[in-house]
Amino acid sequence: MERLPYRDARLARRGEEKPLPADLSHHYSEVTKHRVASQMKAYYKFFQIPGIGNLAGGLPNVRFFPFDTLEAQTAKPERWTPSPNQPDASGATTTQGPSDPQKTAAHIEVPKISSEPDPLKKIDLATALQYGLAQGYPSLLSWIRQFTRDHLHPDVPYRDGPDVMLTCGSTDGFSKTLELFVNPWSGEAGDDICDRPGLLCETFVYGNILTQALPKGMQVVTVESDAAGMVATGRPGSLEDVLSNWDPAKGKRPHLMYTVAMGHNPTGIVVPIERKRDIYAICSKYDVIIVEDEPYWYLQFPSADMEEAKSRGGLVLAPPPPSVRAYRSSSSGYPFLDSMVPSFLSMDVDGRVVRLDTFSKTIAPGCRLGWITAQPGLIERYVRISETSTQQPSGFVQSMVAELVMGGPDTSSTSSRSSLFSSSSTSTSTRDKKKTPEGWKMDGWVRWLEGLRGMYERRMNRMCRILDEGSYQIKTKSRFGNIKGGGDEWDDDCVLVSKTQLYEYDWPRGGMFVWLRIRFETHPLWQALDGVKLSAALMIYLTTKPYLVLVAPGTMFSANDKVRVEKGWAFFRLCFAGETEENVDGSSQRFVDGVQRFWTIKDTKEIEKLLEDLPFTAQGQHTERLDVGGTWLGC
């Protein structure tokens, strides 16, 4: 671009016209040149449709947050009722909260200065708001280390066990993981294809992982999955098959694997312990690092098998005795945590597992706080990366979370208490002093997690029962010869004409999502229109009145173009976490009603009208794409 001389530029600034800034894109790094917009963030604009039911976003419901006001009034750990740890249990076996619930803090307050001499117990603004350790705020770091080593993963099999480091959420944790293990590859002159790094993952994967890996030149290598997760061995496309038959001409054999094993996003699969052992053995054999991202680990649903059978009229058998406990060498100290399928860390004899945890689904997404668990040698390297990048998570957030889960009364007369969130300078009211407020402590924290699992499990059951009721379109014929269909009521005068399955799915065994395969091949216009067009048209149709529901297309989670073209368009992800319980019921029913009505459309012009603003080629593929999501939505 031609630049104005200094004098002309100065004169131009005096008038209405100003010179444009220089185009510096020729200085961009190769990684920057390959970055694309986040699929998820671009999708948020569709949440603004008035009255839209958000079944698309993976957002936890705000009612589940432990804060009730902007002044950070806190909830009790007993707020939600847990669900049973065993599917045949008559009642929930609950973890106890604080011994005296009245002592649980009504507000989060962080003292300005605390006289607590132990840095592992001290929580105050003077230390939290200062530059701090990259590994994390000492008191909160110590608490998370105890929770991780003693309760989450008490049986890690390598000497001295794992260490932890706080992050700005799991996305930050994965970014640092790529920094630690991946050499960027651009494909430019001098870059040997044999050096191109690869990332192993399922065929459907959380999109933000792709938008981080692809700009570094990583090759996304998919592994086939079934109802138990990533297939370890025994068939084409399995993990063993991919690694043993790797062709170096395609790039370096992948040494990094990403997975969400518990409540997989988007499929809702919970990988059983036996499958995990098979996967780990293969990763050990081929020297692959396992990146285990577990934002939904606490949301494992023991009732899903039985409730699915009940809903679909199947034979409900007594559940087999749980096998999870047999794989634990020691107890976590809490029945709820013991009932969870263990992490890859429980079998990590090599120290090759990097686990990403987050408070996003348990406290609040906006707090942007999580932690990495790995062998101490890796944590030391993660700390080095943080020291010259994020430096540390927000001191405000770390002190808030520390007070919530571990805080206690500061009785020192030299302590000046000042509320972190309240604008009042007299936050230490007589009310709070009388109650001697305390944080949740470990018992209260686990009780909160147990209650969250119960709340989400019941919501999952409600959504799936509604979906089951509408999964078939039944057409009947009355004795007068009239054909009825698309949800019309059955009566004694009717005879069955046809029964068409509109979608199929398995009830999720964990997480926040229902993963539907829409059976577009049963649509009346299947022969006239391809699946890509029908899928896009259905998604648009569902956002119109009276349905007003937004779902996430499978193309958003397709690991590569091959998956996207072959089958990604056939799937929708529904989230039961982002709406209130009442809205989940209503939105689920409107989704069913919209799909039922869509299957009555027999005129291609009605479909074309829905798609009239979309750029398609004659072959039915999109002619332009805003990002790697591969949909017209730009997500």
Side-chain angles (χ1 to χ4, degrees):
M1 183 187 69
E2 183 180 356
R3 302 291 294 169
L4 290 172
Y6 172 75
R7 173 179 171 81
D8 292 340
R10 185 180 58 182
L11 293 175
R13 284 196 293 269
R14 294 178 182 176
E16 296 182 1
E17 294 295 328
K18 293 184 178 180
L20 294 173
D23 180 359
L24 302 179
S25 59
H26 57 287
H27 289 304
Y28 290 169
S29 68
E30 291 302 318
V31 172
T32 297
K33 290 177 183 177
H34 287 91
R35 288 198 188 279
V36 296
S38 167
Q39 304 174 47
M40 299 299 172
K41 298 301 183 184
Y43 204 59
Y44 283 11
K45 63 185 178 182
F46 293 94
F47 299 167
Q48 301 175 24
I49 298 175
I52 197 75
N54 176 21
L55 299 184
L59 311 174
N61 192 274
V62 293
R63 292 189 179 186
F64 292 1
F65 297 169
F67 313 117
D68 291 331
T69 70
L70 289 176
E71 294 183 353
Q73 183 176 355
T74 62
K76 305 291 184 181
E78 294 79 8
R79 171 183 257 182
W80 312 114
T81 303
S83 54
N85 293 332
Q86 305 302 332
D88 60 341
S90 57
T93 303
T94 63
T95 300
Q96 296 297 317
S99 56
D100 182 1
Q102 295 302 315
K103 288 188 176 182
T104 304
H107 290 74
I108 291 177
E109 292 185 0
V110 181
K112 184 176 181 180
I113 300 174
S114 172
S115 60
E116 169 60 58
D118 187 350
L120 301 186
K121 296 180 180 179
K122 181 193 289 282
I123 306 172
D124 65 9
L125 296 176
T127 53
L129 303 188
Q130 186 53 271
Y131 287 124
L133 298 175
Q135 194 164 356
Y137 189 51
S139 56
L140 182 59
L141 176 67
S142 175
W143 185 88
I144 290 176
R145 184 182 286 120
Q146 178 192 358
F147 175 57
T148 299
R149 291 168 57 97
D150 296 349
H151 304 297
L152 274 188
H153 318 296
D155 48 6
V156 177
Y158 51 77
R159 186 182 304 173
D160 299 329
D163 200 2
V164 298
M165 185 196 78
L166 272 68
T167 64
C168 302
S170 291
T171 302
D172 176 51
F174 188 68
S175 175
K176 288 180 167 66
T177 299
L178 294 179
E179 178 76 13
L180 179 57
F181 293 115
V182 176
N183 289 318
W185 184 89
S186 66
E188 299 294 326
D191 277 355
D192 192 329
I193 185 64
C194 295
D195 295 329
R196 187 184 184 186
L199 177 69
L200 294 159
C201 63
E202 294 89 349
T203 52
F204 292 102
V205 64
Y206 175 52
N208 273 357
I209 296 305
L210 302 179
T211 53
Q212 290 187 77
L214 292 176
K216 292 183 177 293
M218 297 192 76
Q219 180 178 188
V220 177
V221 181
T222 59
V223 178
E224 290 299 317
S225 300
D226 59 18
M230 190 179 286
V231 177
T233 187
R235 67 185 241 197
S238 67
L239 182 62
E240 173 80 38
D241 178 58
V242 168
L243 292 173
S244 64
N245 296 308
W246 185 258
D247 182 2
K250 298 189 302 183
K252 182 180 178 182
R253 189 173 66 193
H255 68 280
L256 202 62
M257 184 184 86
Y258 173 86
T259 185
V260 180
M262 300 291 102
H264 178 264
N265 182 6
T267 65
I269 291 171
V270 168
V271 180
I273 188 69
E274 295 83 1
R275 179 67 63 85
K276 282 188 169 183
R277 286 185 175 276
D278 293 340
I279 292 171
Y280 185 88
I282 294 169
C283 288
S284 180
K285 177 180 178 180
Y286 292 96
D287 193 22
V288 174
I289 296 163
I290 300 174
V291 183
E292 180 185 26
D293 189 2
E294 297 295 10
Y296 318 105
W297 190 78
Y298 314 100
L299 305 181
Q300 300 179 34
F301 305 140
S303 69
D305 287 309
M306 291 184 66
E307 292 299 322
E308 181 177 17
K310 288 179 184 178
S311 176
R312 297 178 177 180
L315 180 62
V316 181
L317 301 175
S323 61
V324 170
R325 187 66 185 91
Y327 290 96
R328 293 186 180 274
S329 60
S330 57
S331 172
S332 69
Y334 295 98
F336 169 66
L337 297 180
D338 284 343
S339 73
M340 303 283 102
V341 176
S343 163
F344 275 108
L345 285 167
S346 68
M347 59 196 74
D348 187 20
V349 293
D350 300 335
R352 66 178 59 257
V353 175
V354 173
R355 175 171 163 130
L356 309 178
D357 281 276
T358 180
F359 287 109
S360 291
K361 305 301 187 290
T362 56
I363 291 183
C367 72
R368 305 315 308 138
L369 187 64
W371 71 94
I372 296 173
T373 305
Q375 59 153 298
L378 294 182
I379 292 297
E380 189 271 338
R381 292 289 167 165
Y382 275 112
V383 171
R384 292 191 187 189
I385 293 171
S386 294
E387 286 173 343
T388 56
S389 57
T390 55
Q391 296 192 41
Q392 65 184 72
S394 165
F396 285 104
V397 172
Q398 291 191 83
S399 62
M400 178 188 72
V401 173
E403 277 288 346
L404 176 70
V405 299
M406 63 176 292
D410 190 339
T411 58
S412 171
S413 59
T414 62
S415 173
S416 172
R417 296 195 67 84
S418 177
S419 171
L420 183 58
F421 288 89
S422 175
S423 60
S424 171
S425 61
T426 58
S427 58
T428 53
S429 64
T430 304
R431 172 194 62 194
D432 289 335
K433 289 180 179 179
K434 287 181 179 179
K435 287 187 177 181
T436 57
E438 296 180 357
W440 287 354
K441 311 302 184 189
M442 197 66 71
D443 286 355
W445 169 244
V446 176
R447 175 58 174 76
W448 174 261
L449 297 176
E450 192 173 3
L452 279 180
R453 193 274 299 272
M455 183 62 66
Y456 281 119
E457 187 170 14
R458 288 185 287 272
R459 291 159 67 90
M460 180 275 295
N461 288 336
R462 292 175 66 149
M463 172 180 275
C464 288
R465 281 192 286 267
I466 293 171
L467 293 175
D468 277 357
E469 291 175 0
S471 62
Y472 286 86
Q473 184 168 89
I474 298 174
K475 293 184 179 180
T476 63
K477 185 176 182 180
S478 73
R479 60 177 177 165
F480 302 107
N482 297 322
I483 300 294
K484 300 180 180 181
D488 291 314
E489 294 184 4
W490 182 285
D491 58 48
D492 293 338
D493 292 327
C494 292
V495 294
L496 180 65
V497 173
S498 65
K499 183 178 181 180
T500 303
Q501 188 172 13
L502 308 182
Y503 50 82
E504 59 187 1
Y505 70 102
D506 293 324
W507 285 39
R509 269 47 182 175
M512 293 180 170
F513 313 109
V514 177
W515 184 240
L516 298 168
R517 186 179 84 83
I518 310 297
R519 299 193 63 178
F520 289 107
E521 68 273 16
T522 69
H523 194 279
L525 296 177
W526 174 252
Q527 298 298 326
L529 299 169
D530 61 43
V532 175
K533 284 189 175 183
L534 285 173
S535 178
L538 174 57
M539 186 173 169
I540 301 166
Y541 186 73
L542 291 170
T543 64
T544 63
K545 292 181 179 181
Y547 311 111
L548 288 178
V549 288
L550 185 65
V551 298
T555 50
M556 180 187 292
F557 308 99
S558 300
N560 53 37
D561 286 334
K562 183 175 184 293
V563 175
R564 187 176 301 116
V565 170
E566 290 183 354
K567 58 184 177 180
W569 52 266
F571 290 86
F572 284 168
R573 190 196 74 177
L574 276 60
C575 177
F576 48 83
E579 292 285 350
T580 64
E581 196 155 341
E582 299 78 11
N583 286 347
V584 165
D585 286 4
S587 296
S588 301
Q589 188 59 58
R590 295 199 305 276
F591 171 83
V592 168
D593 294 344
V595 174
Q596 289 276 346
R597 173 62 182 82
F598 189 78
W599 250 250
T600 67
I601 298 175
K602 298 181 180 180
D603 188 349
T604 57
K605 292 181 179 179
E606 190 169 347
I607 300 295
E608 296 293 348
K609 182 172 178 58
L610 289 167
L611 302 175
E612 61 186 7
D613 294 328
L614 306 185
F616 285 102
T617 66
Q619 289 75 33
Q621 300 300 316
H622 300 105
T623 58
E624 62 183 60
R625 189 165 70 234
L626 296 182
D627 52 48
V628 298
T631 72
W632 64 276
L633 292 172
C635 47

